[in-house]
Amino acid sequence: MKVGLNFIKEFFKVNVTAEELAEKLTMSGLAVESLKKEKNDWIFDIEVTSNRYDWLSVMGIAGEAAAALGKNVAINYPKVVSLSKYKDKKISIEDIKDCSVYTGRYMQNVRVGRSPGWLCERIRGCGVKEINTVVDIANYCMLKWGNPLHVFDADKIKGNIHIRRAKSGERFFGLDEKERRLATDNLVIADDEKIIALAGVMGAENTKVDDKTKNIFIEGAVFDPVCIRRSRRAVGIDTDSSYRFERKVNPAYLQFAVQQTVNLLVQLCGAKDMGACQTGRKKSIQHKKIILEFNKVREYLGAQLTDNIIKNILAGLGCDVKKHSVGKINVLVPQHRLDLLREVDLYEEIARFYGYDNIPTDIPVISNTVNREGLYHFKNKLRSLMITLGFSEIISYSFEDQKLLEELGYSRFVQISNPLRSQENVMRPTLVTGMSKVFAYNFNRGIKNCKFFEIADLYFRAKTITEKPFLAVGIAGGREEFLLLKGVFNNIVKYFNLDKIIFENKPINNFTNALVLKINGKELGFIGKLDSSAAKILGISSDFFFMQINVGLLMDIEKTKKYSKFTQFPAVSRDISVIMKNNTQFSIVENIIMQSGAEYISGIEIMEFYKGDKIEDDALACTVRVHYCAKDRTLRSDEVDHMDNAIRDKLLQCSDLQLR
């Protein structure tokens, strides 16, 4: 926002140079991006942050400048005159959410001419072009108080005034001499025959004030910020008025902005005030009361400020400061500071005006121990493991298309109340959709050898909405890729030192050959191949294998690792060939081997699978290599043979196993 120094001087006496004031403002957090000399004035170009709507008024900037210089502003509030109700026009508001209050003043016998020099200087210094006396006065009061106003030629308004949403396809010809097609997102001001303004954004050409205007109608209103933002974006207009309404205006100052406009019109244009009309109700702004403790201020800022310095800074910001108890004060926040809600907000204000450069620079004391516990650190460990295993991490959107999920058989969604896109209207209940989009994107560009993982939250609706972290792992290819995915899970189990796992055949929606992963009787996740119908819906053209694991449950069952020394003695290996009948799981073979010689078995590995001659159709041959090793000596051959024979005897006792 641009503002001239002479405009600021209307509120207090500035006894420093423009350069010094710019430096003070910048150091207090109100960044002056540029400073230029124009004729008899200095123009400050100030960056306004989104949470400080009060900086969109010269009064707000003057208050900051006065506080930075240790002074107080003198605000000359105009006396609000109570007039008889103007009955010739009725005002109706279609939806009070769009416009909480709408007020109007009717004035007769207005002389429209050229504005005096001081008025032109004030608005020109704020980057606003002068037009005529009436419009310039309205712009001056908007800039001063921060409340946008609009002035209509009253004789061009037909009938009553209606604040409503536009009908789809209605036309609006604005003061910028451009015609626009409106939609229901647009809030308009209309009379009984036509649209006379795009509410909070721009007036219409059909009611503009010109040299022939004799009677005027002054509009002052409080519009909903979201409504104005959507309306402005829909037609591609950005104005000084919409810029302020989008960031909120202070309803308490509306009456002063309107009254000063009336006073200046009477003074400069010879106008006669004929009455007022109003619909709606101004939202009352409660003065926020915050209890501030002096010692906490000093502790938070790391500076030894005296109690008086703290009180003077707050008083300079317009706060009403009163004693609460020993070492504490009650701070009543001024109406225009809606951003001051908590004690910590006051800490920031005190720091700004005490001066960041006056706060000593100290190196904080940091503990030499680092907490490596909790979900955040567990996710990092899991992420490092997956990268070590050769997988690349992806990040997909948490939003998903409800229609797509319904096609895949999902239901009971967590709905998004105000989605930005219709295709992103629910929170995801699975990670397969996001991962499949990444695979499809790579497949379509000729990249086939993809191995991805993602650690992200899923959202479920039951009696309540729950959010849980999950790991998803995806890989494309043939049967060997399914085994690779199973091996990834085994690595996860080993890395987090978990108990023995169970793979259980169980139908999983959208997957074939699915295995549910169980540990200690709890379902940890599943592995499966995406079935053809789901692959078609998700745009996957090749075999796609997927694993999803509950990270929260995985963290809960993680066990502390125990480390032991490497043995210096060599291992001895023996191979055992087994025929597994009736789709027997390999875990049965593994458990028998480990239980038969657990003390000296250092490892098991599968050497090969075989299916063919002399192997029945429902059976599978497997060669297993067992490694034996002792920690205190080299095992003799006869000892190894004895353990090997014991294992073979145990395997033969299982009816679904046969030795080759």
Side-chain angles (χ1 to χ4, degrees):
M1 177 177 169
K2 291 183 178 180
V3 60
L5 180 59
N6 290 336
F7 209 156
I8 294 174
K9 287 179 178 179
E10 288 188 13
F11 296 91
F12 74 100
K13 185 178 180 180
V14 180
N15 55 3
V16 296
T17 65
E19 291 88 349
E20 289 173 325
L21 179 57
E23 176 69 15
K24 286 278 189 182
L25 289 173
T26 300
M27 292 305 294
S28 67
L30 186 60
V32 178
E33 295 183 328
S34 66
L35 178 65
K36 295 180 181 179
K37 181 72 184 295
E38 292 185 5
K39 296 184 178 179
N40 299 321
D41 204 0
W42 284 93
I43 309 302
F44 297 79
D45 192 352
I46 294 171
E47 179 187 0
V48 177
T49 56
S50 58
N51 66 322
R52 294 300 302 271
Y53 77 91
D54 55 307
W55 288 351
L56 290 173
S57 68
V58 179
M59 186 168 65
I61 292 173
E64 290 285 310
L69 296 174
K71 295 178 175 290
N72 295 315
V73 292
I75 301 174
N76 183 21
Y77 292 100
K79 183 180 179 182
V80 179
V81 179
S82 298
L83 295 173
S84 59
K85 187 174 181 180
Y86 178 62
K87 299 180 180 179
D88 287 358
K89 296 201 181 297
K90 294 181 180 179
I91 302 171
S92 65
I93 300 175
E94 184 180 70
D95 190 342
I96 203 72
K97 293 178 182 177
D98 293 338
C99 176
S100 58
V101 63
Y102 188 96
T103 183
R105 294 286 279 267
Y106 180 62
M107 304 195 74
Q108 287 184 341
N109 302 324
V110 178
R111 295 192 306 270
V112 180
R114 187 170 180 175
S115 299
W118 70 267
L119 181 58
C120 293
E121 180 191 79
R122 296 292 189 273
I123 64 172
R124 196 186 304 123
C126 295
V128 178
K129 183 181 178 182
E130 61 266 28
I131 297 174
N132 58 52
T133 325
V134 173
V135 176
D136 293 348
I137 287 171
N139 284 334
Y140 168 81
C141 292
M142 173 193 72
L143 294 166
K144 179 176 180 177
W145 298 95
N147 294 74
L149 306 168
H150 186 69
V151 183
F152 300 95
D153 186 322
D155 297 327
K156 297 175 184 178
I157 298 175
K158 305 300 180 184
N160 297 316
I161 294 175
H162 312 279
I163 299 92
R164 61 173 175 83
R165 292 295 181 107
K167 299 169 186 174
S168 182
E170 274 192 291
R171 302 282 180 173
F172 169 72
F173 193 78
L175 290 172
D176 59 354
E177 300 183 350
K178 292 181 181 179
E179 188 177 52
R180 294 173 174 87
R181 186 185 181 93
L182 303 182
T184 55
D185 275 345
N186 298 112
L187 185 67
V188 299
I189 313 298
D191 61 17
D192 290 342
E193 298 179 0
K194 60 189 179 295
I195 294 174
I196 60 175
L198 190 59
V201 181
M202 180 183 288
E205 181 73 17
N206 55 28
T207 52
K208 80 171 184 178
V209 174
D210 53 30
D211 294 343
K212 298 179 182 179
T213 298
K214 297 297 181 184
N215 307 308
I216 62 172
F217 182 80
I218 306 169
E219 169 195 277
V222 177
F223 298 113
D224 176 62
V226 175
C227 179
I228 299 302
R229 185 179 302 116
R230 286 178 176 170
S231 179
R232 174 190 67 76
R233 287 180 176 175
V235 293
I237 306 177
D238 192 6
T239 63
D240 289 322
S241 176
S242 66
Y243 189 71
R244 286 165 172 79
F245 277 122
E246 282 185 49
R247 287 157 179 78
K248 284 188 181 180
V249 296
N250 191 339
Y253 291 159
L254 178 61
Q255 59 180 340
F256 301 126
V258 172
Q259 187 62 56
Q260 185 162 19
T261 302
V262 170
N263 294 348
L264 288 172
L265 286 167
V266 172
Q267 178 184 339
L268 300 178
C269 302
K272 185 177 181 181
D273 191 359
M274 299 303 295
C277 51
Q278 181 173 306
T279 299
R281 181 180 296 176
K282 287 188 294 184
K283 293 180 180 178
S284 59
I285 299 177
Q286 298 295 328
H287 284 277
K288 183 73 177 178
K289 184 183 288 186
I290 302 172
I291 299 173
L292 186 72
E293 189 173 342
F294 292 124
N295 285 336
K296 281 189 177 181
V297 175
R298 289 186 274 267
E299 181 183 351
Y300 190 89
L301 299 183
Q304 295 305 308
L305 289 76
T306 65
D307 295 356
N308 283 335
I309 289 176
I310 294 171
K311 289 190 288 187
N312 290 339
I313 290 173
L314 293 173
L317 292 170
C319 298
D320 186 11
V321 179
K322 293 182 179 179
K323 184 176 180 179
H324 177 273
S325 57
V326 177
K328 295 181 181 180
I329 52 173
N330 280 327
V331 180
L332 195 64
V333 176
Q335 280 188 334
H336 68 277
R337 292 302 304 273
L338 300 181
D339 58 307
L340 300 181
L341 302 173
R342 303 167 299 166
E343 195 172 356
V344 69
D345 297 325
L346 297 180
Y347 298 163
E348 183 180 351
E349 295 301 294
I350 294 166
R352 288 201 303 126
F353 291 103
Y354 179 69
Y356 294 118
D357 52 336
N358 293 324
I359 297 175
T361 303
D362 294 324
I363 299 175
V365 178
I366 301 175
S367 172
N368 58 3
T369 59
V370 180
N371 181 12
R372 296 293 185 186
E373 298 179 354
L375 182 60
Y376 174 80
H377 294 290
F378 185 84
K379 285 181 179 179
N380 282 340
K381 288 195 292 184
L382 185 57
R383 183 176 288 110
S384 298
L385 173 62
M386 294 306 303
I387 293 170
T388 302
L389 294 173
F391 287 78
S392 300
E393 184 174 15
I394 66 167
I395 299 175
S396 61
Y397 287 111
S398 299
F399 308 144
E400 196 48 86
D401 184 359
Q402 182 174 340
K403 291 182 180 178
L404 173 67
L405 292 171
E406 286 174 346
E407 281 189 77
L408 294 171
Y410 292 94
S411 60
R412 296 182 64 82
F413 305 108
V414 178
Q415 299 282 346
I416 299 172
S417 60
N418 188 24
L420 295 176
R421 298 176 61 206
S422 60
Q423 298 89 351
E424 297 174 350
N425 55 352
V426 296
M427 304 300 289
R428 62 185 173 199
T430 177
L431 291 174
V432 72
T433 49
M435 183 162 287
S436 64
K437 291 173 186 176
V438 177
F439 269 92
Y441 180 89
N442 283 272
F443 288 166
N444 294 337
R445 285 155 182 79
I447 305 171
K448 304 293 184 182
N449 186 22
C450 300
K451 297 194 298 182
F452 296 129
F453 79 95
E454 180 175 17
I455 301 172
D457 290 343
L458 298 184
Y459 304 85
F460 306 97
R461 179 185 290 280
K463 292 183 179 179
T464 58
I465 295 172
T466 57
E467 178 180 352
K468 297 179 180 180
F470 278 79
L471 165 70
V473 185
I475 190 167
R479 175 178 170 79
E480 65 278 5
E481 306 301 348
F482 181 80
L483 297 175
L484 174 60
L485 205 56
K486 191 176 174 184
V488 169
F489 181 69
N490 284 329
N491 272 280
I492 292 172
V493 169
K494 185 177 179 180
Y495 183 80
F496 291 109
N497 198 29
L498 305 180
D499 288 333
K500 294 297 178 183
I501 60 171
I502 295 175
F503 294 94
E504 183 179 293
N505 290 308
K506 186 178 179 180
I508 298 290
N509 189 31
N510 301 312
F511 292 91
T512 59
N513 302 325
L515 295 176
V516 171
L517 315 172
K518 285 189 172 182
I519 294 182
N520 299 332
K522 297 180 179 178
E523 288 193 7
L524 189 60
F526 71 90
I527 300 175
K529 175 187 173 185
L530 194 67
D531 65 31
S532 56
S533 60
K536 185 176 181 180
I537 293 170
L538 295 171
I540 300 291
S541 57
S542 108
D543 289 344
F544 175 61
F545 298 95
F546 181 78
M547 176 172 68
Q548 187 168 282
I549 296 174
N550 187 326
V551 174
L553 181 56
L554 185 65
M555 183 182 73
D556 291 340
I557 60 179
E558 178 191 13
K559 291 189 174 181
T560 305
K561 292 181 180 178
K562 295 180 181 179
Y563 296 91
S564 59
K565 293 181 179 179
F566 286 106
T567 179
Q568 59 181 329
F569 301 101
V572 181
S573 302
R574 292 287 189 272
D575 289 349
I576 302 175
S577 293
V578 183
I579 298 174
M580 298 181 291
K581 300 177 182 180
N582 303 319
N583 297 318
T584 303
Q585 292 186 8
F586 177 76
S587 59
I588 294 175
V589 177
E590 183 182 20
N591 289 336
I592 291 173
I593 293 173
M594 292 302 297
Q595 290 169 7
S596 301
E599 183 181 358
Y600 293 109
I601 294 177
S602 60
I604 302 173
E605 58 180 320
I606 299 172
M607 302 307 295
E608 64 175 356
F609 286 102
Y610 175 73
K611 196 172 180 67
D613 292 343
K614 300 180 181 180
I615 303 297
E616 296 177 12
D617 292 340
D618 64 344
L620 179 67
C622 172
T623 299
V624 183
R625 181 161 293 170
V626 184
H627 302 283
Y628 303 89
C629 186
K631 297 179 180 179
D632 57 346
R633 58 193 171 85
T634 301
L635 290 172
R636 299 191 312 272
S637 179
D638 61 316
E639 290 179 294
V640 176
D641 290 340
H642 178 74
M643 288 185 283
D644 183 59
N645 290 331
I647 291 172
R648 290 173 183 272
D649 290 340
K650 285 285 186 181
L651 291 170
L652 287 172
Q653 291 176 16
C654 180
S655 59
D656 290 328
L657 299 177
Q658 181 182 336
L659 296 179
R660 289 181 68 193

